[in-house]
Amino acid sequence: MAVSATIPSYGNSTLFRNPINDFKKSPYRAPIFRFKLFSKKIKARHAQNSVFESTDIPLPTFPFEEYMIRKAEQVNKALDEAVVLQPPVKIHKAMRYSLLAGGKRVRPLLCIASCELVGGDESWAMPAACALEMIHTMSLIHDDLPFLDNDERRRSKPASHEVFGESTAILAGDALLSLALEHVAVNIAGVSPDRVVRAIAEMCSAMGVEGLVAGEFVDIASEGKDVSLKELEYIHVHKTAKLLEAAVVCGAVIGGGNAIEVERVRNYARCIGLLFQVVDDILDVTKSSEELGKTAGKDLASGKATYPKLMGIENAKSFAGELLGQAIEELAYFEASKAAPLYFLANYIASRQN
């Protein structure tokens, strides 16, 4: 059953009604490509044990696992070189502890894949890809703190504040945030200055009061309260989706994408950004802490609103399938062989198990 039939309130979603309503001043603004709710059943091919029902959207032939391993290794090498041990040693140890702790490197991969999609080179995108991972790591360090989300584990290891103390963890996050912007400004080569500035502006928007900070603030303020689907969407579009969107858009901007190309990948990113959180919410109530690498069931225990809580598990899975289908539809604008990494990254986000 199409999600529009089971969750009619999502027909009023701001994500679907106007996907670029927050970017009216963007120099890349193109004609609005409005999302539409599908009237047909989504067909997508997912990994075994996907959080939602598997159907069949044919994807282009592409060695995705090999691609992901190779790109992640290159990103990890670049991150290792970007943060070296130097005085004050404890801060740099804390930065490296969280930054190099593992993780799927989804945001850097999205940035690189989007850059290559529009004809750019991986080397152009790598500084921005690293910066986005630094920003993401900062958000995890801060989110885990006792006075925010209060989590003792991250990526199957003790959280930063458990190892280094709260004050050092806060400063390590701050340092990663400032280093991220410096890293882009200093290290991007072969790209025009106006595109570098636009990429930095996209990152700043994603992590500030129009993005991550707003989502985190509203999330904390909403604990224990009745939250509507519209309010939940606001939280997750800002807290989670905005940074994934910035990763994809920065890659396209740095790669030299035109206005329509940038807007298409922005629409794609809006879908996978929200998809990431819907899947995260489902995994939180269906997987163990060992499987997740972080504390399972915390959102439910703390009274936070989640998609399964407001929709039910099956409707949340249907909504995830809807988002995946619409993300893939946006990529149909591009040559399939060039868009293959983004097709598979969307499918990977939908099918992930932790």
Side-chain angles (χ1 to χ4, degrees):
M1 182 180 294
V3 78
S4 54
T6 57
I7 315 170
S9 59
Y10 260 91
N12 296 320
S13 165
T14 55
L15 177 76
F16 294 121
R17 282 190 291 107
N18 187 357
I20 61 171
N21 62 344
D22 291 336
F23 294 89
K24 294 178 180 177
K25 296 180 181 178
S26 169
Y28 285 99
R29 186 170 186 188
I32 295 175
F33 298 102
R34 297 184 186 277
F35 288 109
K36 60 181 183 295
L37 291 174
F38 284 142
S39 59
K40 62 181 184 296
K41 186 174 183 179
I42 302 290
K43 295 193 166 193
R45 180 170 59 225
H46 308 299
Q48 189 176 10
N49 300 321
S50 171
V51 297
F52 55 93
E53 294 179 7
S54 265
T55 52
D56 279 325
I57 290 184
L59 297 175
T61 301
F62 183 72
F64 178 64
E65 288 187 13
E66 177 187 328
Y67 172 89
M68 195 167 183
I69 291 170
R70 185 177 73 254
K71 295 292 188 184
E73 287 175 348
Q74 291 163 347
V75 168
N76 287 334
K77 181 176 183 294
L79 289 170
D80 183 44
E81 293 171 352
V83 184
V84 297
L85 277 180
Q86 58 183 318
V89 173
K90 187 176 181 180
I91 282 289
H92 286 89
K93 279 186 176 180
M95 292 166 69
R96 288 175 58 84
Y97 175 82
S98 296
L99 186 63
L100 304 178
K104 294 170 279 292
R105 306 306 189 206
V106 169
R107 291 152 194 83
L109 266 63
L110 285 168
C111 181
I112 292 168
S114 182
C115 178
E116 293 177 333
L117 171 67
V118 297
D121 189 80
E122 178 190 298
S123 64
W124 303 355
M126 187 60 76
C130 290
L132 288 154
E133 190 66 16
M134 292 175 192
I135 294 167
H136 174 55
T137 301
M138 172 278 297
S139 73
L140 300 181
I141 293 172
H142 286 180
D143 192 54
D144 289 340
L145 290 165
F147 48 81
L148 286 177
D149 207 38
N150 191 25
D151 208 324
E152 296 178 354
R153 295 193 68 76
R154 175 67 63 177
R155 292 172 172 168
S156 301
K157 298 172 63 176
S160 178
H161 66 274
E162 290 289 309
V163 178
F164 298 97
E166 291 178 30
S167 59
T168 300
I170 292 169
L171 292 173
D174 293 344
L176 284 169
L177 181 58
S178 60
L179 177 61
L181 300 181
E182 177 187 350
H183 193 70
V184 175
V186 171
N187 291 288
I188 286 188
V191 180
S192 64
D194 67 306
R195 289 187 179 273
V196 176
V197 170
R198 287 166 183 165
I200 291 174
E202 192 77 33
M203 290 182 193
C204 291
S205 174
M207 64 191 178
V209 290
E210 293 181 354
L212 195 154
V213 169
E216 186 75 65
F217 177 81
V218 176
D219 189 27
I220 293 168
S222 300
E223 285 187 20
K225 298 179 181 178
D226 291 332
V227 174
S228 68
L229 281 173
K230 183 177 180 181
E231 290 166 332
L232 184 62
E233 180 190 293
Y234 177 92
I235 291 169
H236 291 317
V237 163
H238 289 77
K239 183 178 177 180
T240 303
K242 285 278 192 176
L243 192 56
L244 285 161
E245 180 181 332
V248 176
V249 172
C250 283
V253 168
I254 290 167
N258 62 40
I260 293 176
E261 290 171 330
V262 171
E263 206 56 46
R264 283 288 187 180
V265 296
R266 187 187 295 283
N267 291 348
Y268 159 86
R270 289 255 171 132
C271 283
I272 64 165
L274 193 54
L275 170 64
F276 191 98
Q277 187 60 53
V278 176
V279 172
D280 212 50
D281 283 358
I282 294 169
L283 292 175
D284 188 61
V285 296
T286 59
K287 297 292 181 180
S288 67
S289 297
E290 289 73 24
E291 290 171 309
L292 293 178
K294 60 182 179 180
T295 307
K298 273 191 85 278
D299 290 343
L300 187 62
S302 62
K304 284 187 177 182
T306 66
Y307 284 98
K309 182 178 179 181
L310 295 187
M311 293 180 171
I313 288 284
E314 293 309 312
N315 282 344
K317 289 178 179 180
S318 294
F319 185 48
E322 196 80 17
L323 290 165
L324 175 62
Q326 293 192 51
I328 288 174
E329 186 174 273
E330 289 296 327
L331 295 180
Y333 176 84
F334 301 95
E335 183 180 332
S337 60
K338 292 182 179 179
L342 293 178
Y343 277 109
F344 277 86
L345 279 163
N347 200 58
Y348 173 79
I349 288 170
S351 304
R352 67 193 178 91
Q353 298 298 302
N354 55 38

